[in-house]
Amino acid sequence: MLRIVVLGAAAGGGVPQWNCGCAVCRAARTDHPEIRNSQASVAVSADGEHWFLINASPDLRYQVTRTPQLHPKPGALRHSPIAGVILTNGEIDAVAGLLSMREGSPFTLYAHERVLAILKSNSIFNVLNAENVKRRPIEVERAFEPALPDGAPSGLEVLPFEVPGKGAWYLEGKAHPAGNDGAGDTLGLRVLDKASGKYFYFLAACARVTDDLKSRLAGAALVFFDGTVWRDDELIAAGLGNKTGQGMGHISMSGDHGAIESLAGLDIGRKVFLHINNSNPALLHGSDERKTAEQAGWHIPADGMEITL
Ligand SMILES: [Zn+2]
């Protein structure tokens, strides 16, 4: 059985974002604490005992604290059920939480060599002692089975694949530590339970839905999908910034080539938006945007949402 916990549902900055006075952030601070969300990450387990994180958000410490499945087992002085972290990109949102895992528990870090190169070029990540925290390069279209700290198989099979997207924004205009072709900077994952054969997809960043991607996702029991913005010019229209969703490598939920339309009719069991930016009106309960998404069969999750497959 696959057990999944949404540790964080929000995009970078979270909801509310510390310096944001937009309508959603104001509502989250005042009358609607139910829409407060931490930054995107998911935990997954095949046995209910050992867990793998997909991305380590800057809110990781808070997320672990509020998730009983990730607490040290009773009676152990030092222990963590977190057996590994799988990184889908090298953005701050995905890697900063690693710095909250520096207290000496062994786990394995799985990432594309481009992402590992970003970590290697930042000396602050040396705080994760290489003896305790093994780095394992992952490759596009090559499935792997994450291992438990003692080397035993986890029962999971993870298939990374390339997603239309863009590189880490803080590297824009700079030479990439691992070369500059952009490959491997944004990965999607298929995570499969080897015992049952059930699987889900994780795509927290995706710039557009290609025909290849549609055929990949068709028939999946569960898809977590990029829900950063409702409309492409949302940040500009709200006066919050000068970037479009596309400019940040994120598809919009709505619109002609948006996620809702692009993934319609693909026979996906459960469609869950993830990485939802605080500017996105679909976060507000009762908003027209949320109703539209829900009527199209999408879930707008909150932190702590649990799913079993
Ligand atoms: Zn805001």
Side-chain angles (χ1 to χ4, degrees), residues 215-289:
S215 23
R216 199 185 278 275
L217 301 183
L222 167 68
V223 172
F224 290 107
F225 200 79
D226 186 343
T228 309
V229 290
W230 175 255
R231 45 183 263 202
D232 192 49
D233 64 350
E234 180 173 300
L235 291 173
I236 298 168
L240 293 170
N242 55 11
K243 287 194 170 176
T244 61
Q246 282 295 308
M248 298 182 293
H250 295 293
I251 194 172
S252 55
M253 289 184 177
S254 68
D256 279 350
H257 301 286
I260 292 174
E261 188 191 287
S262 300
L263 271 61
L266 292 184
D267 187 30
I268 297 168
R270 204 158 180 183
K271 294 182 280 195
V272 181
F273 279 122
L274 201 68
H275 195 269
I276 306 169
N277 195 54
N278 59 69
S279 58
N280 191 328
L283 283 167
L284 293 169
H285 293 250
S287 68
D288 289 345
E289 291 84 357

Side-chain angles (χ1 to χ4, degrees), residues 68-298:
Q69 294 94 323
L70 302 181
H71 293 175
K73 63 184 173 195
L77 264 182
R78 282 279 197 273
H79 168 261
S80 171
I82 300 174
V85 180
I86 305 161
L87 300 176
T88 61
N89 65 77
E91 298 271 2
I92 291 170
D93 301 355
V95 305
L98 293 171
L99 300 174
S100 299
M101 301 176 73
R102 63 187 182 278
E103 285 85 7
S105 278
F107 66 95
T108 307
L109 191 50
Y110 299 89
H112 192 278
E113 59 182 12
R114 290 176 63 84
V115 174
L116 291 179
I118 291 173
L119 299 181
K120 198 174 178 184
S121 69
N122 283 273
S123 57
I124 194 169
F125 289 101
N126 292 342
V127 74
L128 298 174
N129 180 320
E131 273 180 30
N132 277 332
V133 182
K134 305 276 188 241
R135 273 77 162 166
R136 294 279 179 264
I138 62 178
E139 287 178 48
V140 168
E141 302 297 349
R142 179 163 294 187
F144 66 97
E145 179 166 9
L148 306 184
D150 65 0
S154 62
L156 296 170
E157 182 192 88
V158 180
L159 177 70
F161 57 94
E162 256 189 274
V163 174
K166 64 188 281 295
W169 63 270
Y170 56 85
L171 293 171
E172 278 174 22
K174 297 181 184 169
H176 194 294
N180 219 15
D181 68 353
D185 278 341
T186 307
L187 298 177
L189 302 175
R190 186 193 70 190
V191 182
L192 176 139
D193 175 25
K194 292 183 84 169
S196 68
K198 296 201 171 154
Y199 59 87
F200 71 93
Y201 281 97
F202 179 96
L203 294 100
C206 181
R208 62 199 163 271
V209 178
T210 59
D211 288 344
D212 278 355
L213 185 56
K214 281 187 191 177
S215 23
R216 199 185 278 275
L217 301 183
L222 167 68
V223 172
F224 290 107
F225 200 79
D226 186 343
T228 309
V229 290
W230 175 255
R231 45 183 263 202
D232 192 49
D233 64 350
E234 180 173 300
L235 291 173
I236 298 168
L240 293 170
N242 55 11
K243 287 194 170 176
T244 61
Q246 282 295 308
M248 298 182 293
H250 295 293
I251 194 172
S252 55
M253 289 184 177
S254 68
D256 279 350
H257 301 286
I260 292 174
E261 188 191 287
S262 300
L263 271 61
L266 292 184
D267 187 30
I268 297 168
R270 204 158 180 183
K271 294 182 280 195
V272 181
F273 279 122
L274 201 68
H275 195 269
I276 306 169
N277 195 54
N278 59 69
S279 58
N280 191 328
L283 283 167
L284 293 169
H285 293 250
S287 68
D288 289 345
E289 291 84 357
R290 191 180 187 102
K291 283 181 201 155
T292 301
E294 288 176 346
Q295 280 164 8
W298 284 86

Side-chain angles (χ1 to χ4, degrees), residues 20 22 25 278:
C20 190
C22 78
C25 288
N278 59 69

